[in-house]
Amino acid sequence: MNAHKKVAFYTLGCKLNFSETSTIARGFQNEGFERVDFEEIADIYVINTCSVTDNADKRFKTIVKNTLKKNDDAFLIAVGCYAQLKPEELANVDGVDLVLGATEKFKVTDYINDLSKNDMGEIHSCEISEADFYVGSYSFGDRTRAFLKVQDGCDYKCTYCTIPLARGISRSDTLENVLKNAKEISKKNIKEIVLTGVNIGDYGKGEFGNKKHEHTFYELVQALDKVEGIHRLRISSIEPNLLKNETIEFVSKSKTFVPHFHIPLQSGSDTLLKLMKRRYLRKTYTDRVTAIKEKMPNACIGVDVIVGFPGETDELFLETYNYLNEMDISYLHVFTYSERPNTEAEKMESVVSLNIRKKRSKMLRGLSVKKRRAFYESQLDTYHTVLFESKNKAGYIQGFTENYVKVKTPWNPKLVNTIHDIKLTKIDEDGLVRFDWK
């Protein structure tokens, strides 16, 4: 019945969303739909939404508008975090036909009986407390790496965050299923797997969120390390209080896990960490970074940080800035605080004005550029392995070393998805690193 129906997908937000879009797409393909590129004309467009920043809301409307220009009869479906949090808002956007929440998005083909446009978006969205089952998924970022989802949801109560409202309680895939997915990926000649989740260090809570950990994150890491055919495993973002010394120790000796950690800090001020209800203070963060650098001096460490949180005075911001400036870290992901409905922080006093938030954000982005440059310089004249990516970028092929240094060399299609030993030699004017073949 769906043999000639075409479906296209657009993903906003995090790597987890990308892995889930892939799973949803495979569901359509199993039902006989043909998947096409989002730029092409399709019968159905699925937009996987994000709610982490205000921008995501605005971008959704723009994407819908542009999509309808391509085909104003197309059937438009919104899924994902924003669809769970504010289904009515999305349903009210002109042209949106179906809005599916956290549990419904994986059964999307069940809701498409006829593809006639609705006057008003139809909503199927559960109470988030029903999002207690786990759907495993993985996706391919390009032909060289895959994002493997191992965990979903979060039990933390950070005062700025809507993710628990959008994704429900913390729950995990079974170890057996993660390993099965990892083996499937390795058979596709994908060289690198990135582990993703909302709070992956909390891995092990059962698929229904039951609190007894079947397996710990450390056990997951040990088991994945034994899967044949995977060249590289990368841990995406992991909370500092959940990154244990045993995991750091194991990664330092592993053949497949790479020395790259992304550890959210959010603030370098204990006062603000407490207001944010983070589950650690600055000392824990310092200890994590020190432990990693002792075992893996060349490790790359990325940091998430929020600026402009309510109560962030100039002094407290400088505390964060100076802390990060002194720390042996490699780059920053800077988030400008934005008020989210139904969060504790939304009601807090001492609101920081938007122009000060922007100014602080700019300062930290500048610091990130400096940090990355210093990290790249520290890696010159050292030996690494690089995995080349698939795109020709202005006559060059790019790739990442195991410790996340971005390199480039003149385009050669034979290098795509291959791993080579190299020696880093100099930083180019565009900030990428050149190398000699080893």
Side-chain angles (χ1 to χ4, degrees):
M1 128 194 166
N2 301 316
H4 302 296
K5 295 279 184 217
K6 293 181 176 176
V7 61
F9 297 86
Y10 195 99
T11 307
L12 290 157
C14 63
K15 292 184 176 118
L16 189 57
N17 270 5
F18 280 91
S19 78
E20 292 182 345
T21 298
S22 280
T23 298
I24 295 166
R26 282 195 284 276
F28 271 95
Q29 286 163 309
N30 293 342
E31 296 282 328
F33 288 87
E34 181 194 344
R35 181 177 183 175
V36 297
D37 194 71
F38 200 80
E39 299 311 311
E40 294 180 40
I41 291 177
D43 303 288
I44 301 175
Y45 292 92
V46 180
I47 304 167
N48 194 352
T49 62
C50 164
S51 68
V52 174
T53 61
D54 275 332
N55 258 353
D57 313 359
K58 298 187 187 92
R59 280 183 64 195
F60 175 77
K61 289 178 181 142
T62 311
I63 293 159
V64 169
K65 223 157 96 185
N66 293 342
T67 304
L68 292 172
K69 281 181 195 159
K70 291 194 280 266
N71 177 7
D72 57 3
D73 288 333
F75 194 81
L76 248 69
I77 305 172
V79 301
C81 290
Y82 192 38
Q84 175 66 37
L85 287 173
K86 296 191 182 166
E88 286 81 13
E89 253 182 54
L90 292 191
N92 284 331
V93 173
D94 264 359
V96 173
D97 297 295
L98 185 60
V99 179
L100 298 180
T103 60
E104 294 76 16
K105 62 189 171 193
F106 296 109
K107 306 189 287 257
V108 56
T109 52
D110 298 355
Y111 293 99
I112 312 172
N113 303 322
D114 77 301
L115 295 182
S116 51
K117 296 288 287 173
N118 296 329
D119 292 338
M120 170 73 190
E122 191 185 320
I123 296 172
H124 297 278
S125 146
C126 63
E127 280 306 307
I128 195 62
S129 57
E130 290 167 34
D132 61 356
F133 63 89
Y134 183 84
V135 177
S137 46
Y138 59 85
S139 75
F140 308 118
D142 52 23
R143 284 179 298 164
T144 55
R145 74 168 55 84
F147 301 107
L148 172 59
K149 175 180 158 188
V150 299
Q151 182 274 344
D152 200 348
C154 188
D155 292 341
Y156 287 9
K157 300 284 185 286
C158 302
T159 52
Y160 52 82
C161 185
T162 54
I163 284 174
L165 298 172
R167 284 188 169 270
I169 55 174
S170 175
R171 55 208 187 273
S172 311
D173 207 345
T174 61
L175 186 59
E176 180 187 27
N177 200 42
V178 172
L179 295 174
K180 179 175 98 40
N181 283 341
K183 285 171 188 145
E184 277 177 29
I185 293 167
S186 72
K187 288 194 182 105
K188 294 182 194 299
N189 192 28
I190 300 271
K191 300 283 195 293
E192 179 173 308
I193 293 180
V194 184
L195 302 185
T196 66
V198 172
N199 185 355
I200 64 173
D202 202 26
Y203 175 82
K205 284 181 180 163
E207 60 176 323
F208 299 102
N210 29 323
K211 298 304 175 221
K212 184 181 157 297
H213 279 59
E214 290 289 311
H215 296 95
T216 61
F217 181 69
Y218 177 50
E219 288 168 334
L220 171 76
V221 165
Q222 287 175 301
L224 280 167
D225 199 51
K226 296 190 181 91
V227 175
E228 293 292 315
I230 299 171
H231 297 265
R232 283 183 176 183
L233 282 156
R234 205 177 283 280
I235 296 168
S236 65
S237 187
I238 184 164
E239 295 282 305
N241 50 308
L242 296 173
L243 176 56
K244 303 286 189 254
N245 280 337
E246 56 191 10
T247 305
I248 294 171
E249 175 80 33
F250 186 84
V251 168
S252 75
K253 296 189 164 72
S254 164
K255 291 276 185 286
T256 46
F257 275 92
V258 295
H260 174 205
F261 296 86
H262 192 93
I263 315 169
L265 169 68
Q266 310 310 12
S267 173
S269 148
D270 282 348
T271 310
L272 289 176
L273 288 172
K274 286 172 188 164
L275 277 177
M276 291 174 171
K277 288 197 178 161
R278 299 292 285 157
R279 296 206 176 183
Y280 54 86
L281 294 174
R282 198 165 88 169
K283 182 183 182 313
T284 301
Y285 201 91
T286 309
D287 291 348
R288 300 299 79 207
V289 172
T290 307
I292 291 167
K293 285 294 186 176
E294 271 173 9
K295 295 268 183 295
M296 296 166 268
N298 289 328
C300 177
I301 300 176
V303 182
D304 284 346
V305 61
I306 294 171
V307 294
F309 189 78
E312 186 183 61
T313 59
D314 283 346
E315 290 72 30
L316 294 182
F317 169 70
L318 283 174
E319 221 180 293
T320 297
Y321 186 93
N322 294 332
Y323 176 69
L324 288 166
N325 194 21
E326 284 153 27
M327 287 295 277
D328 195 357
I329 51 132
S330 319
Y331 64 91
L332 305 172
H333 281 174
V334 183
F335 297 90
T336 306
Y337 171 73
S338 68
E339 285 77 1
R340 314 308 288 160
N342 303 319
T343 57
E344 267 186 72
E346 187 200 11
K347 299 171 192 67
M348 288 181 180
E349 313 215 317
S350 311
V351 172
V352 177
S353 73
L354 288 174
N355 59 347
I356 291 179
R357 290 184 215 183
K358 276 191 183 140
K359 187 179 128 199
R360 289 176 184 170
S361 172
K362 207 169 167 185
M363 280 175 73
L364 281 181
R365 283 167 210 254
L367 180 61
S368 182
V369 171
K370 262 174 43 182
K371 283 286 183 187
R372 194 183 296 268
R373 176 93 193 184
F375 175 62
Y376 282 8
E377 281 178 357
S378 75
Q379 298 305 297
L380 296 180
D381 296 323
T382 60
Y383 293 94
H384 297 274
T385 60
V386 63
L387 169 58
F388 288 106
E389 303 199 329
S390 53
K391 291 190 175 66
N392 180 341
K393 298 204 170 167
Y396 287 91
I397 188 168
Q398 297 179 354
F400 282 98
T401 61
E402 76 294 343
N403 64 341
Y404 218 54
V405 173
K406 198 172 192 183
V407 305
K408 66 186 252 198
T409 197
W411 172 253
N412 173 356
K414 290 196 177 89
L415 292 176
V416 170
N417 199 29
T418 60
I419 293 181
H420 295 270
D421 292 323
I422 58 164
K423 180 186 181 186
L424 301 178
T425 54
K426 66 174 185 137
I427 302 175
D428 226 352
E429 53 270 27
D430 60 3
L432 303 192
V433 181
R434 296 300 199 108
F435 59 86
D436 289 336
W437 300 99
K438 192 172 148 189

